[in-house]
Amino acid sequence: MAQDRLPPLRALKTLEAFHQSGSVTATARLLSVSHSAVSHQLKQIEDWAGIRLMRREGRQTALTEAGESLALVINESFGAIRHEIDRLTMRERLPVSIASLRFVIPNWLLPEIETFMAENPAVSVYVQEHISDQPVSPEPDILIGFSLDGHIPEGADPIIPGAAVPVCAPSYQARHTIGSSADIARATLLHDEDMRMWKTWLSAAGIAAPDERNERRLFFSGSALICDAALRGLGVALCREALIEPYLERGELIRLSDIRIDRTAVYYLQISQHGMNRHAAIAITDWLIKRSRGRWQDMLHRQ
């Protein structure tokens, strides 16, 4: 016999129902079919297997030992399938987890997620801060990271250009009248842990770095705080231009120069293997990539 195939699924389901209900009549009622349909499906399994699965006990039909054994296996198998479907369905209903660098969250990610969820109300999202160069545990469905040299992990997609420009608040500009690169060099420069940024920019502007003993500097732990300090008029900051577009458009920050550094830098999006098994995570990934390309495709292509 060619037993590399299975009997009809409906027949297996009928045998499982018969095992649970104990009679043809009860099985017919359980499956909402006729008495003869139940008998036909049970007979179909017997013909397929070549084994007697049913026996008559007076006016009642019962399972033989072989029928009982097969019914138990079918019940266990269907039970495992039901459990796995429930597990997968429950996992799909869990929020899609996105770990992102802090500065990206309010300045790009949240507005995009708000628009996505308005069009996909059944999807839930969990956003958490990702600290650069530190692993996120547990692994998120989607990770938004940053690469200074433009080299991104295999399978990741570039989403936001990372070039940086000097900016300040209108209030700081009014107090200091910054009109040239030399004026910028004399301003209060806002720094984060990446101490090379201002040295790189000053070099690109053809200006010698000021004597650190006389330079007024403020230090912050990250791009988000630097931007906050610039918005409050505390000094001049080097900010990732793409992410401060809303502040520039609203006039809350002023671009002080067209000289940009870190032209190869890029923010990237990477979906995890776990995320690739979730329809909602794939949908959000596709959405974010599409939105970024619609906004910065030319800049990302040049990189």
Side-chain angles (χ1 to χ4, degrees):
M1 292 190 303
Q3 297 297 344
D4 57 343
R5 57 186 179 86
L6 291 173
L9 182 61
R10 182 177 298 179
L12 295 176
K13 183 64 180 173
T14 301
L15 179 58
E16 181 194 37
F18 182 87
H19 179 258
Q20 293 172 344
S21 62
S23 73
V24 172
T25 301
T27 301
R29 189 181 306 115
L30 182 64
L31 299 179
S32 299
V33 297
S34 67
H35 189 284
S36 61
V38 172
S39 298
H40 173 73
Q41 293 297 332
L42 295 176
K43 176 85 166 46
Q44 195 172 22
I45 296 182
E46 287 188 320
D47 293 343
W48 181 91
I51 300 173
R52 185 166 174 258
L53 302 177
M54 317 300 296
R55 58 185 172 82
R56 299 286 297 181
E57 293 182 346
R59 300 180 61 182
Q60 299 296 320
T61 302
L63 292 172
T64 65
E65 184 177 346
E68 182 78 20
S69 176
L70 180 57
L72 288 172
V73 172
I74 291 172
N75 183 256
E76 291 174 1
S77 300
F78 279 149
I81 293 172
R82 294 186 190 99
H83 174 76
E84 184 63 12
I85 289 175
D86 288 343
R87 188 183 70 84
L88 293 174
T89 302
M90 183 178 297
R91 185 177 69 177
E92 190 65 31
R93 289 174 181 168
L94 291 174
V96 175
S97 58
I98 305 176
S100 172
L101 296 170
R102 181 182 174 191
F103 197 44
V104 178
I105 295 174
N107 296 315
W108 182 70
L109 180 61
L110 292 186
E112 296 297 348
I113 289 298
E114 180 182 19
T115 306
F116 175 86
M117 294 183 70
E119 297 184 14
N120 301 270
V123 177
S124 298
V125 178
Y126 169 68
V127 178
Q128 65 184 113
E129 181 180 350
H130 161 48
I131 300 175
S132 184
D133 299 326
Q134 293 188 19
V136 182
S137 182
E139 183 183 31
D141 295 314
I142 300 169
L143 174 71
I144 296 177
F146 179 76
S147 170
L148 183 61
D149 61 10
H151 291 93
I152 62 178
E154 183 178 357
D157 288 275
I159 54 170
I160 305 172
V165 293
V167 296
C168 73
S171 60
Y172 189 87
Q173 166 77 309
R175 295 196 309 271
H176 296 84
T177 315
I178 299 174
S180 67
S181 297
D183 293 336
I184 294 174
R186 288 190 292 268
T188 299
L189 304 182
L190 308 179
H191 297 261
D192 65 1
E193 297 94 335
D194 189 355
M195 292 294 296
R196 56 143 206 110
M197 289 188 71
W198 272 115
K199 293 179 181 178
T200 302
W201 188 89
L202 292 169
S203 176
I207 299 174
D211 188 337
E212 294 183 0
R213 293 172 297 180
N214 301 321
E215 182 187 4
R216 295 183 63 202
R217 297 186 293 176
L218 281 173
F219 296 87
F220 299 90
S221 61
S223 301
L225 289 179
I226 286 180
C227 184
D228 289 343
L231 287 166
R232 293 184 65 86
L234 297 182
V236 179
L238 279 168
C239 293
R240 306 294 171 188
E241 188 174 18
L243 290 177
I244 59 168
E245 282 181 357
Y247 302 124
L248 296 172
E249 292 170 358
R250 293 192 298 264
E252 297 174 17
L253 289 175
I254 300 171
R255 185 188 292 103
L256 299 174
S257 172
D258 290 330
I259 298 174
R260 296 171 176 81
I261 64 168
D262 297 350
R263 289 177 176 270
T264 61
V266 66
Y267 293 89
Y268 62 86
L269 182 149
Q270 185 176 30
I271 185 169
S272 67
Q273 188 62 49
H274 178 266
M276 291 179 66
N277 293 324
R278 302 190 60 192
H279 294 298
I282 294 173
I284 292 177
T285 296
D286 292 344
W287 167 274
L288 293 176
I289 292 173
K290 180 181 179 181
R291 297 283 288 189
S292 74
R293 288 177 179 171
R295 189 169 177 180
W296 295 300
Q297 183 170 5
D298 290 342
M299 297 173 68
L300 291 169
H301 180 70
R302 287 198 296 270
Q303 292 181 319

